[in-house]
Amino acid sequence: MFQLWKLVLLCGLLAGTSASLLDNRGNDVLRKLRSALERGLASFDSTIEVIFQNLKTELESRCSDEVVENQESENLLEQLISRIFQEVNRLTGVRIRNVQVPDITFKATSDNSADVKIPITADVTVNLPLLRDIVDLGLTVDLQTSVSIETDAETGDSKVVVGECTNTPESISLTVLHRRFGLLNDVVDFGINLARRVVSSVVQDELCPRFRELLESLDAECVRKLIGEPQNTQQETEEGR
């Protein structure tokens, strides 16, 4: 009964000053997150760097095998992203868990280039002081870029060139799974918006740079093997049989 009374009182207070209170809370959270991202989350949790190095080693090993497809890279990616989001939760109160990376796709666009995508799904819970968990969300975000092999004009050597990693509002999807009963719509909307801004910041300043570094660490021959044949070439081969 006491808990219900406290909730009603708090909701009443928020009804009068929700905009300023929530804005201040959101700005404080994002300021703290930006500061941490500038330093690099691995500076807070060294395990992030260990997993990342293991991922680079494993992806390189795929290029030396006859069979390119291997689920180990996806498992290490899930570990890496989960560890990053654990640190994000400590900093922001936005808990992102049950991270899944179904696959990493290299869709060849020519003999020496491909579009690369890492689709990520996860469960998100936004926590506020006093109110605790206010909304549960389903997250879907696609990390997308391009990779190509170009010839250095000066040396004649092949080099790996990685495009920009996309980070647009359209690339981040949040679906409401559950919300605390009795909370104002403004509070729930704040939680959804905060989660979106947190995820966007982490994608832009942590995940995309990691993704880019991972691809740039590979040599040209490795990337050629991961790219494979262009889709139109494969279709022409099948039609000619």
Side-chain angles (χ1 to χ4, degrees):
M1 194 67 183
F2 172 77
Q3 292 295 327
L4 178 60
W5 171 84
K6 184 169 68 172
L7 180 60
V8 172
L9 175 61
L10 185 56
C11 285
L13 291 173
L14 286 173
T17 59
S18 61
S20 60
L21 288 175
L22 294 176
D23 284 347
N24 289 340
R25 170 60 182 169
N27 290 334
D28 287 344
V29 166
L30 293 171
R31 192 179 302 113
K32 187 175 182 180
L33 177 61
R34 280 194 296 269
S35 177
L37 289 172
E38 287 174 0
R39 293 177 56 186
L41 295 184
S43 64
F44 298 90
D45 185 351
S46 59
T47 305
I48 291 174
E49 192 61 38
V50 172
I51 298 174
F52 181 69
Q53 294 301 324
N54 289 340
L55 176 59
K56 288 172 62 175
T57 300
E58 199 284 326
L59 192 57
E60 289 169 355
S61 72
R62 287 175 58 179
C63 300
S64 62
D65 298 333
E66 291 185 5
V67 180
V68 174
E69 297 299 329
N70 190 314
Q71 292 299 313
E72 186 63 24
S73 293
E74 286 76 24
N75 294 337
L76 285 169
L77 263 174
E78 288 178 1
Q79 292 178 37
L80 175 68
I81 295 170
S82 295
R83 199 75 184 196
I84 288 171
F85 282 143
Q86 285 177 27
E87 192 59 36
V88 170
N89 175 38
R90 187 186 69 80
L91 292 165
T92 67
V94 176
R95 186 167 71 252
I96 305 173
R97 64 200 186 283
N98 298 333
V99 174
Q100 295 185 19
V101 181
D103 54 16
I104 309 174
T105 61
F106 288 78
K107 184 178 180 181
T109 54
S110 72
D111 290 339
N112 292 315
S113 64
D115 292 329
V116 189
K117 183 169 79 169
I118 298 180
I120 302 167
T121 61
D123 296 328
V124 181
T125 300
V126 181
N127 180 289
L128 287 180
L130 297 180
L131 292 178
R132 298 187 178 180
D133 295 347
I134 63 171
V135 63
D136 295 318
L137 306 165
L139 168 67
T140 301
V141 57
D142 290 334
L143 300 185
Q144 300 183 67
T145 188
S146 62
V147 63
S148 60
I149 302 167
E150 300 180 4
T151 302
D152 190 290
E154 295 182 359
T155 65
D157 295 333
S158 296
K159 61 179 181 179
V160 176
V161 178
V162 181
E164 292 297 319
C165 180
T166 58
N167 179 32
T168 63
E170 293 77 17
S171 67
I172 299 173
S173 173
L174 289 168
T175 305
V176 177
L177 303 177
H178 178 263
R179 52 178 287 174
R180 281 273 300 276
F181 175 75
L183 288 181
L184 297 173
N185 287 335
D186 284 351
V187 178
V188 175
D189 290 344
F190 164 80
I192 297 171
N193 184 54
L194 178 62
R196 184 178 301 278
R197 294 174 70 184
V198 165
V199 171
S200 180
S201 293
V202 175
V203 168
Q204 177 178 333
D205 297 327
E206 187 73 26
L207 295 184
C208 276
R210 291 278 178 184
F211 189 15
R212 184 185 187 92
E213 182 182 347
L214 177 65
L215 293 174
E216 289 180 338
S217 71
L218 303 175
D219 62 37
E221 288 307 312
C222 179
V223 172
R224 280 196 180 94
K225 186 167 184 180
L226 291 172
I227 289 176
E229 292 184 50
Q231 191 173 40
N232 59 347
T233 300
Q234 292 175 339
Q235 291 175 344
E236 290 171 1
T237 300
E238 291 174 358
E239 291 173 358
R241 289 177 180 174

